[in-house]
Amino acid sequence: MGDQDTKRLSRLTAIITQLQSKRLITAADLAERFNVSVRTIYRDIRALEQAGVPVLTEEGRGYTMMEGYRIPPLMFTEKQANALVLAEQLVLKNRDRSFVQDYCEAIDKIKAILRESGKDKANLLSDRTRFNQNINRERNSSYISELQYALTNFFQVRINYVNKDDSFSDRIVEPFALISTTENWLLIAWCRLRKEFRYFRLDRMLRIQVLTEKFEPHKMTLQQYFDKFY
């Protein structure tokens, strides 16, 4: 399977999620979301229909999915779904691009499993909830998702880093914890270069690479770390 085929398969799967998570969505909305032309979306919809996916077209309004199509049993109460929608608005304030994208995609999948009445309520709450300066806030990092993966799987990470004095360094670190401050995310990690725990600001990371080499988990909690070093 070529790269273009892989991208299209991924997009078709994501379109199904979008159709299940919203009562109606237009071709223009889908084109904007996936950064393709409206004509490409038309071809994608036809491909889904030919594959047996029951996409319904409401003339002049958009597309929707036939009620009940591949929707798992209801997993969330209305209050739980509302709490997740509210959390989405808080997440949108975050300044890490990968974290925002992953969370929003997760929320789309959650909405996709709700029944129509719950889906409408979740989308209404999402539309009617805003925090100041959250939507268009500048993103200054893109590495949380990769660092979370490395942290939980105990993979070493190589980082190209620029410190506050604009001095460049190439380091291999062992991720220990991620901390959110008002403006930035910080990684606490054991630095193999300095042989000690260090803080690294994500917005100062020029590039990271999750390595295949693992490290021995550090046997302390985050609170124990603070108690020991502060």
Side-chain angles (χ1 to χ4, degrees):
M1 182 179 292
D3 184 57
Q4 291 301 316
D5 292 332
T6 302
K7 287 181 178 178
R8 191 184 189 207
L9 180 60
S10 176
R11 188 174 66 248
L12 290 173
T13 303
I15 287 174
I16 291 175
T17 299
Q18 287 295 306
L19 290 169
Q20 290 185 167
S21 65
K22 295 176 175 61
R23 181 175 289 275
L24 277 173
I25 189 166
T26 67
D29 289 337
L30 290 170
E32 181 178 1
R33 183 175 187 88
F34 298 110
N35 195 29
V36 295
S37 68
V38 171
R39 182 174 295 180
T40 296
I41 294 299
Y42 290 153
R43 288 198 293 266
D44 287 345
I45 294 296
R46 283 199 297 273
L48 290 174
E49 291 172 336
Q50 291 168 0
V53 178
V55 179
L56 304 179
T57 303
E58 295 196 16
E59 203 64 40
R61 298 185 62 195
Y63 301 108
T64 188
M65 187 75 76
M66 181 181 292
E67 171 70 10
Y69 173 71
R70 294 184 182 174
I71 299 179
L74 185 63
M75 296 172 60
F76 300 98
T77 67
E78 182 177 339
K79 289 183 178 180
Q80 290 170 340
N82 288 346
L84 291 167
V85 170
L86 180 62
E88 178 186 20
Q89 297 299 316
L90 292 169
V91 166
L92 288 173
K93 296 179 69 176
N94 193 276
R95 304 190 75 178
D96 186 89
R97 192 174 295 107
S98 66
F99 181 67
V100 172
Q101 179 180 343
D102 286 344
Y103 191 91
C104 289
E105 289 176 356
I107 285 293
D108 283 341
K109 291 179 180 179
I110 288 169
K111 288 179 182 177
I113 70 170
L114 299 175
R115 301 188 189 279
E116 290 300 329
S117 59
K119 190 183 305 180
D120 289 345
K121 291 176 181 179
N123 284 322
L124 175 62
L125 184 62
S126 183
D127 291 339
R128 301 290 177 84
T129 306
R130 287 292 180 271
F131 292 89
N132 289 338
Q133 300 179 335
N134 61 341
I135 299 298
N136 297 315
R137 188 168 182 176
E138 179 186 358
R139 312 293 180 201
N140 63 10
S141 62
S142 303
Y143 301 125
I144 283 183
S145 292
E146 289 178 271
L147 290 171
Q148 286 177 323
Y149 176 76
L151 189 156
T152 56
N153 290 281
F154 309 111
F155 285 119
Q156 299 174 33
V157 177
R158 180 184 296 276
I159 62 174
N160 300 138
Y161 195 74
V162 176
N163 66 17
K164 62 181 180 181
D165 299 319
D166 293 327
S167 177
F168 173 85
S169 63
D170 182 79
R171 304 168 185 239
I172 293 178
V173 301
E174 301 173 358
F176 175 70
L178 285 160
I179 300 175
S180 176
T181 67
T182 303
E183 292 297 324
N184 298 289
W185 279 91
L186 300 176
L187 172 69
I188 302 175
W190 176 264
C191 177
R192 296 200 160 197
L193 177 67
R194 303 301 183 192
K195 305 298 182 185
E196 62 183 357
F197 281 101
R198 287 288 184 94
Y199 283 96
F200 300 95
R201 277 177 46 170
L202 268 63
D203 62 322
R204 289 181 177 157
M205 295 180 184
L206 302 180
R207 180 176 176 272
I208 77 167
Q209 178 187 5
V210 178
L211 305 176
T212 56
E213 292 81 7
K214 291 201 170 190
F215 61 89
E216 190 69 24
H218 300 283
K219 300 191 182 301
M220 61 178 168
T221 66
L222 184 57
Q223 186 58 54
Q224 289 170 336
Y225 168 84
F226 287 133
D227 292 342
K228 181 176 180 179
F229 292 101
Y230 293 94

